[in-house]
């Protein structure tokens, strides 16, 4: 299982709607509005890195109101 944080920038005023929409996507564990350079932070998981990439590109990035994403896979050192 691969987990990652997805840092999301949204259009002005869209953070809450984006977080709510993303929280309904299969594979998303948590989606919260935050302050700072990013508007929403998501914790997601998938079986493989490729599945995680498909989740981000095919599902998360298609949510209306998102302007940019940054995916940060969790590593266990």
């Amino acid at each position: 299982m691969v987990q990652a944080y997805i840092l999301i920038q949204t259009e002005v005023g869209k953070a809450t709607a984006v977080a709510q929409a993303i929280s309904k996507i299969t594979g998303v564990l948590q989606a919260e509005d935050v302050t700072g350079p990013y508007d929403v932070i998501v914790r997601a998981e998938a079986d493989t890195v490729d599945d995680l990439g498909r989740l981000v590109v095919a599902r998360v990035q298609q949510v209306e109101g998102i302007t940019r994403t940054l995916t940060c896979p969790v590593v266990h050192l």
Side-chain angles (χ1 to χ4, degrees), residues 38-68:
Y38 295 94
D39 303 304
V40 176
I41 296 181
V42 173
R43 177 114 183 196
E45 69 178 0
D47 290 331
T48 67
V49 173
D50 289 339
D51 289 338
L52 179 65
R54 282 188 282 276
L55 171 69
V56 172
V57 173
R59 305 290 309 280
V60 172
Q61 289 182 347
Q62 301 307 311
V63 172
E64 186 177 338
I66 292 177
T67 58
R68 181 175 294 177

Side-chain angles (χ1 to χ4, degrees), residues 6-11 38 40 61 65-70:
I6 306 167
L7 311 177
I8 299 173
Q9 293 177 335
T10 69
E11 296 172 4
Y38 295 94
V40 176
Q61 289 182 347
I66 292 177
T67 58
R68 181 175 294 177
T69 65
L70 174 66

